[in-house]
Amino acid sequence: MTRAGWLHQGTLTTTHERQHMAIKEAGVSAVSVGALLAQKLRIPEYQRPYRWQPETALQLVDDLRQAQARDEDVPYVLGAVILHECDGWLDVVDGQQRLLTLRMVMAVLQCHNLLPDRQNKAPVCLVWQALQHRLAALEDAEKESLLDFISNRCQLVRVVTDDVDEAFRVFDSQNYRGKPLAPHDLLKAHHLREMRNESAAMQTAVVEAWESTPDKTLHRLFATFLYRIARWSRGESAPGFSIHDIGMFKGIAPAAHARALMPCERYHLAAQTAMPLLTSWLAPVTLHDHDAARSRFQLDAPLIAGRPFFERVSFLLKELEWVEQQAAERVGRFGSSQGRYRYTHELFTAALLYYTNKFGSAGLPQARDKLFAWAYALRVEMIRVQFASIDNRARGKDNPASSPFVLMRNALTAQAIQRLAVKPPTPEERAEHEKELLALIQPLCTP
């Protein structure tokens, strides 16, 4: 049985529709676990699957039993849950891992079999089996006592909103032994809401494809590359991708809410809507498959909210994999597997990804050499390269013309990158520690 079938003791379902809302008056209250689980709760499609490990769930059980043993008069508070009131339901925005685990604990204590399939190795099944084994050692009276304690003496801070964006801004970022939603999780939620007019099958397919990609991979795409490229190409610092930066990836909503589209939005929406048709017309004659997709998913162009966002991410994940192969061929043993080259390698890969997205494979060997020399010269110039070092270099802190990101953003042809000046290290900078790297870079530097 799926998580959607047994979170609460009445009814629970998943939802595809999302609506705008705000924190309700008197929407913050303390409520017992039993009372909360009796309400109409459901898990929205944008939530990640259940991922607690047995050790985490068993620690929760130990904490509950220790709190019960203290026999204090005050309730035992298990943190906050953020709920979005929508169509008579309460969508769980934050706290689902906790609630699902508490529901399983209570079911085991009541001898309810929520998950009969014991062969399944999904995290929820492993936790269920671990809870059954741990709680089986209790006497019947102990089970009844613990069930009563959890249901009536344990409380959660219940925050109810009618604005999902507001819910994400206020949700408890320090989940009880849980994992907070990452910026890319919030982007998934936003763009799923923009798919409200798509079929349920399409929305489900999008969610399944997204969830099949590891969190680390999605985080790396946005935090290490897309966010930095967007900032550096404007000559701005990229200190770190957080939930406060997701606005740059929300894009243009095809059906703007409560306002008319601006002329620039109409232009980009029309251009990107027409691109697949134009691509199918030109592709048999002039366009390589990669270049056809690059034309549609230009990093400098505003993205379109909804399904095009997920299509863009899918393409860019494949494109990044290809670009990293190109980068690896050039850097050889100076790749990111050696910690000392991590930042310079990320800088080089980001520049190469931006180049191929904008200019395709035109002049790629020459551009790859130029960008390699530009990025890795920093490793020769400095004894210790930190993120601040590549951040200053990438945005052209002292001279915007020295940044390939700034150059490429304003360029119309691939020739612009050949104008990038890469000065050979001075005698003082020719450190003994990077002789081999210097030998690779020096022939590629600008005379």
Side-chain angles (χ1 to χ4, degrees):
M1 185 178 297
T2 65
R3 61 188 175 136
W6 44 265
L7 172 60
H8 106 83
Q9 299 166 10
T11 306
L12 184 144
T13 179
T14 56
T15 182
H16 296 285
E17 293 190 356
R18 312 284 175 253
Q19 297 179 351
H20 292 288
M21 45 185 179
I23 292 181
K24 302 191 68 176
E25 185 178 356
V28 180
S29 61
V31 60
S32 68
V33 170
L36 182 60
L37 290 177
Q39 297 177 1
K40 293 180 67 176
L41 305 176
R42 65 181 177 184
I43 305 297
E45 293 292 350
Y46 56 75
Q47 283 287 13
R48 58 164 57 95
Y50 185 84
R51 291 185 179 176
W52 270 22
Q53 297 299 311
E55 295 79 9
T56 309
L58 293 177
Q59 181 63 57
L60 174 59
V61 171
D62 290 342
D63 291 346
L64 291 168
R65 296 201 66 195
Q66 289 171 13
Q68 180 189 21
R70 288 195 293 269
D71 195 24
E72 298 174 339
D73 293 333
V74 296
Y76 183 58
V77 180
L78 292 168
V81 292
I82 310 298
L83 306 172
H84 165 205
E85 188 173 61
C86 180
D87 298 333
W89 292 87
L90 293 172
D91 288 349
V92 181
V93 175
D94 179 53
Q96 69 140 333
Q97 308 284 324
R98 236 171 318 156
L99 290 175
L100 289 168
T101 306
L102 288 167
R103 179 69 185 93
M104 284 191 281
V105 171
M106 294 174 69
V108 171
L109 294 172
Q110 294 171 303
C111 298
H112 293 169
N113 191 7
L114 296 181
L115 295 170
D117 182 6
R118 299 192 178 192
Q119 303 305 313
N120 195 318
K121 298 302 181 183
V124 67
C125 295
L126 296 177
V127 166
W128 173 254
Q129 293 167 23
L131 291 173
Q132 284 184 311
H133 184 267
R134 171 66 64 85
L135 297 172
L138 299 182
E139 300 290 341
D140 289 345
E142 291 177 307
K143 290 181 180 179
E144 291 179 9
S145 177
L146 181 57
L147 177 63
D148 179 73
F149 175 76
I150 295 171
S151 183
N152 300 308
R153 298 281 304 282
C154 293
Q155 292 186 347
L156 291 154
V157 178
R158 175 180 177 269
V159 181
V160 181
T161 79
D162 58 10
D163 183 331
V164 74
D165 292 324
E166 181 68 13
F168 284 131
R169 284 193 289 270
V170 302
F171 82 96
D172 180 10
S173 62
Q174 299 298 320
N175 278 1
Y176 179 84
R177 302 189 187 278
K179 184 176 181 181
L181 292 174
H184 60 263
D185 290 312
L186 304 187
L187 286 172
K188 178 183 73 170
H190 171 80
H191 290 285
L192 276 174
R193 293 198 300 276
E194 296 300 333
M195 290 180 64
R196 59 175 60 85
N197 296 324
E198 299 270 9
S199 69
M202 176 58 68
Q203 294 185 51
T204 299
V206 162
V207 171
E208 289 178 351
W210 183 279
E211 292 295 344
S212 69
T213 305
D215 271 345
K216 288 183 179 179
T217 302
L218 289 167
H219 174 76
R220 186 166 178 267
L221 174 68
F222 282 98
T224 303
F225 298 108
L226 303 186
Y227 164 73
R228 291 179 184 177
I229 290 171
R231 300 278 299 183
W232 288 341
S233 64
R234 293 172 173 82
E236 299 171 349
S237 177
F241 186 51
S242 73
I243 60 174
H244 304 293
D245 302 303
I246 64 175
M248 65 173 63
F249 298 111
K250 286 189 172 182
I252 301 169
H257 307 292
R259 67 171 179 83
L261 289 171
M262 295 183 291
C264 61
E265 292 176 317
R266 289 198 299 271
Y267 169 80
H268 286 291
L269 181 60
Q272 295 189 43
T273 301
M275 185 54 66
L277 179 62
L278 181 62
T279 296
S280 65
W281 179 43
L282 294 176
V285 181
T286 62
L287 291 181
H288 185 276
D289 286 346
H290 271 257
D291 284 342
R294 289 165 183 151
S295 299
R296 183 182 176 197
F297 301 122
Q298 280 289 287
L299 295 181
D300 287 338
L303 58 86
I304 305 303
R307 176 151 52 114
F309 166 81
F310 295 102
E311 294 170 342
R312 172 187 284 237
V313 170
S314 178
F315 164 72
L316 287 172
L317 285 169
K318 296 175 184 176
E319 180 78 337
L320 177 59
E321 184 178 356
W322 180 82
V323 166
E324 289 191 303
Q325 292 174 356
Q326 301 298 311
E329 291 176 5
R330 188 64 187 85
V331 303
R333 73 174 190 85
F334 300 102
S336 58
S337 60
Q338 295 192 59
R340 64 185 292 102
Y341 302 115
R342 171 194 164 190
Y343 288 123
T344 48
H345 189 264
E346 289 177 353
L347 181 62
F348 172 44
T349 305
L352 199 59
L353 177 63
Y354 193 30
Y355 179 92
T356 57
N357 179 260
K358 187 150 189 171
F359 304 117
S361 300
L364 181 58
Q366 297 83 2
R368 185 175 65 170
D369 286 348
K370 178 74 75 169
L371 295 172
F372 166 69
W374 170 81
Y376 273 79
L378 191 62
R379 180 65 268 179
V380 176
E381 296 167 10
M382 304 182 72
I383 298 296
R384 186 179 182 186
V385 175
Q386 299 177 317
F387 175 75
S389 311
I390 67 164
D391 190 49
N392 290 333
R393 193 176 191 85
R395 65 191 175 103
K397 179 183 178 183
D398 299 320
N399 177 18
S402 66
S403 165
F405 295 95
V406 175
L407 285 177
M408 286 189 280
R409 181 175 179 84
N410 299 317
L412 296 177
T413 69
Q415 294 300 317
I417 204 65
Q418 296 305 322
R419 297 197 296 271
L420 178 68
V422 182
K423 297 180 180 180
T426 63
E428 294 78 13
E429 295 168 337
R430 294 175 185 176
E432 293 292 319
H433 66 289
E434 293 293 355
K435 278 188 172 182
E436 188 178 348
L437 179 59
L438 176 60
L440 282 177
I441 291 174
Q442 207 155 17
L444 305 174
C445 293
T446 306

